[in-house]
Amino acid sequence: MVKKIILLGATGSIGVQTADIIREHPYEFSLIGFSAGKNMNITRKLIAEFEPEIVCVQQSEDAKMLKAEYPAVSFVAGADGLIEIAVRDADIMVNAVLGSVGLEPTLEAIKLGRTIAIANKETLVTAGHLVMDSARQYGAVILPVDSEHSALFQALNGEKKEQASRLILTASGGSFRDLTRDQLKNVTVQDALNHPNWSMGSKITIDSATMVNKGLEVIEAHILFDFAYADIDVVLHRESIIHSMVEFHDTSVMAQLGTPDMRVPIQYALSYPDRLPRQQAKRLNLAEIGKLNFQEMDYKRFRALQLAFDAGIAGGTMTAVLNAANEQAVALFLNEEIKFLQIEEIIERAMDQHEVLANPDLETILHVDAETRKSVKNMLK
Ligand SMILES: NC(=O)C1=CN([C@@H]2O[C@H](COP(=O)(O)OP(=O)(O)OC[C@H]3O[C@@H](n4cnc5c(N)ncnc54)[C@H](OP(=O)(O)O)[C@@H]3O)[C@@H](O)[C@H]2O)C=CC1
Ligand SMILES: CC(=O)[C@@H](O)[C@H](O)COP(=O)(O)O
Ligand SMILES: [Mn+2]
């Protein structure tokens, strides 16, 4: 049976790699619709290759322009268009957009009991409890794409969750892992975009350099697997070969390993519960395992990780504040309007200014998200 795929964020790093997997397995998957933001070149290439039923783009002018070029395709635009495409009848909706913009489309697809393959960690950090409560209510399946959470999901597969005692996330340390905090004062955007192991979109690459990414992933792990923060650890692992581990109460540790290639966790989510062969993948050289490097996480050097734990433990709306402040701050850094170390300063100030609201509904979360973005803008005035 060919699985019909709806892909949000098709023109991004995860989106393009998801298209690779669909291309590699034409008898397993069919791309029936996708969303893009502003990248019309990749959008045109995907339309020509996959002949989707429906395409969403950010700007309505782009939708009009494309309609003239591809009259057989339906085009929608903007936030409403993202929801319209997300709820399209399909076997899997892949959320690979960037940022909390992915939240409402995901919630609407969940209400229809859809299977969601989720790469978009901002959705889960912003409103993970709403997402998981709604998934339980409507019987929707949430499959992790993020490499660490795919590893945790695989290591937990077939196990009794109550017999797992600890989640151990691995962190490469990012682009500046060999710099002291003092040396971070004048680093450039170009330097920050130079991740040692992964080729990713700009925002997550900056998040890896600040260690916010690992902080978001700690919250994502708490949300997806319902582990207390006290039972989630992070270890520095320079090679990104062990993608994360689960320790059980008999002290066994199950790990998932592989060369750093996001197509593997993407394919696993799409083909779950089966595994499909990957001829094109670079197989792990077993000699490399002997050289793997692990170090204790240094929470002083990587202050943003501590902030993320603090936000998760505070709960309620605080994770939405962390995420929104970070999204704004990273955009400012990428625009060269602030220095690298100001990213974590902005996050800390936004959190200090926030009164946590417990058990927030969607309206409250969206309001807090918007207010946080405004407050970050005011910080710089
Ligand atoms: N890249 C990776 O290896 C990994 C990514 N992730 C997560 O996956 C998600 C996507 O990351 P990544 O692929 O790197 O991001 P990219 O920036 O490469 O791609 C983001 C995608 O979302 C679209 N987009 C951006 N903003 C909007 C918006 N406001 N409305 C509609 N569409 C929008 C972009 O469109 P366009 O480019 O056309 O403007 C693009 O298709 C993130 O949450 C990230 O943390 C998780 C693990 C690994
Ligand atoms: C590929 C992926 O899942 C990214 O989240 C990656 O893990 C970032 O790596 P670090 O945050 O460990 O540098
Ligand atoms: Mn990850």
Side-chain angles (χ1 to χ4, degrees):
M1 185 269 277
V2 176
K3 288 183 183 175
K4 292 189 293 182
I5 310 289
I6 285 283
L7 173 54
L8 302 190
T11 48
S13 163
I14 291 289
V16 164
Q17 294 176 87
T18 303
D20 290 346
I21 295 301
I22 294 169
R23 185 179 301 114
E24 282 174 32
H25 300 285
Y27 302 109
E28 306 284 341
F29 308 117
S30 160
L31 182 63
I32 62 160
F34 67 83
S35 86
K38 302 188 177 89
N39 190 321
M40 292 300 111
N41 289 339
I42 299 182
T43 299
R44 287 190 173 89
K45 286 192 180 123
L46 290 170
I47 292 172
E49 179 177 1
F50 293 102
E51 297 178 344
E53 300 161 10
I54 184 169
V55 171
C56 174
V57 290
Q58 224 168 326
Q59 311 296 338
S60 47
E61 310 78 71
D62 288 335
K64 282 195 199 90
M65 170 189 68
L66 290 168
K67 183 65 183 172
E69 296 172 43
Y70 304 95
V73 179
S74 302
F75 289 94
V76 292
D80 291 346
L82 215 44
I83 289 174
E84 183 172 345
I85 201 163
V87 301
R88 189 90 175 176
D89 181 29
D91 297 294
I92 300 179
M93 192 276 270
V94 181
N95 180 347
V97 286
L98 180 67
S100 58
V101 69
L103 171 59
E104 289 184 271
T106 300
L107 288 172
E108 291 306 314
I110 284 172
K111 283 181 195 161
L112 299 171
R114 288 283 146 68
T115 295
I116 315 279
I118 189 156
N120 174 278
K121 63 192 79 176
E122 294 89 357
T123 286
L124 294 173
V125 170
T126 300
H129 294 298
L130 288 186
V131 169
M132 301 310 281
D133 290 350
S134 186
R136 277 184 284 274
Q137 181 182 353
Y138 293 99
V141 175
I142 309 291
L143 296 170
V145 170
D146 200 348
S147 67
E148 294 80 3
H149 307 77
S150 180
L152 295 171
F153 182 69
Q154 294 178 56
L156 283 164
N157 205 356
E159 301 286 352
K160 291 190 172 71
K161 180 182 168 299
E162 65 277 10
Q163 295 175 357
S165 47
R166 197 157 60 116
L167 302 182
I168 304 158
L169 275 76
T170 52
S172 75
S175 312
F176 300 138
R177 60 192 180 181
D178 297 321
L179 298 189
T180 63
R181 281 190 66 88
D182 202 45
Q183 290 169 322
L184 293 176
K185 281 190 182 121
N186 294 308
V187 292
T188 67
V189 171
Q190 277 324 309
D191 295 336
L193 288 173
N194 195 9
H195 196 284
N197 300 328
W198 301 91
S199 163
M200 309 184 286
S202 300
K203 194 255 182 190
I204 186 174
T205 306
I206 303 302
D207 286 348
S208 292
T210 59
M211 200 54 76
V212 166
N213 181 54
K214 213 46 62 181
L216 299 178
E217 293 185 346
V218 164
I219 295 166
E220 187 183 359
H222 166 77
I223 293 289
L224 285 171
F225 306 110
D226 193 19
F227 272 66
Y229 286 99
D231 299 329
I232 301 175
D233 276 342
V234 179
V235 64
L236 277 168
H237 165 44
R238 295 174 69 90
E239 299 79 10
S240 303
I241 295 285
I242 293 185
H243 298 308
S244 280
M245 303 172 259
V246 177
E247 181 188 76
F248 294 88
H249 60 195
D250 64 354
T251 75
S252 297
V253 175
M254 301 299 279
Q256 190 262 336
L257 287 75
T259 51
D261 179 352
M262 270 309 293
R263 277 162 292 220
V264 176
I266 291 168
Q267 178 177 290
Y268 184 73
L270 296 188
S271 62
Y272 182 77
D274 294 327
R275 286 182 190 275
L276 295 175
R278 279 222 72 215
Q279 282 74 20
Q280 294 81 348
K282 183 169 170 283
R283 294 178 62 209
L284 187 59
N285 170 356
L286 296 182
E288 282 171 11
I289 297 184
K291 287 182 268 171
L292 296 188
N293 177 301
F294 293 92
Q295 280 167 276
E296 289 275 295
M297 175 53 71
D298 176 346
Y299 287 85
K300 289 207 175 12
R301 165 65 182 77
F302 294 107
R303 169 122 189 76
L305 181 55
Q306 186 56 54
L307 290 172
F309 268 103
D310 295 346
I313 292 161
T317 46
M318 192 58 94
T319 53
V321 169
L322 166 85
N323 180 71
N326 181 60
E327 283 191 41
Q328 288 302 107
V330 169
L332 289 166
F333 174 69
L334 286 169
N335 231 6
E336 299 182 331
E337 293 178 59
I338 62 169
K339 294 258 185 204
F340 181 76
L341 285 173
Q342 282 181 277
I343 295 173
E344 63 187 41
E345 286 166 16
I346 284 170
I347 294 169
E348 186 156 17
R349 267 184 69 182
M351 288 173 61
D352 287 347
Q353 287 168 5
H354 182 65
E355 277 291 306
V356 177
L357 300 169
N359 306 313
D361 60 13
L362 178 60
E363 192 188 345
T364 304
I365 288 173
L366 294 174
H367 175 73
V368 164
D369 180 282
E371 287 304 301
T372 302
R373 292 170 197 274
K374 264 191 243 161
S375 79
V376 168
K377 287 196 180 103
N378 293 335
M379 284 179 201
L380 299 181
K381 277 181 184 149

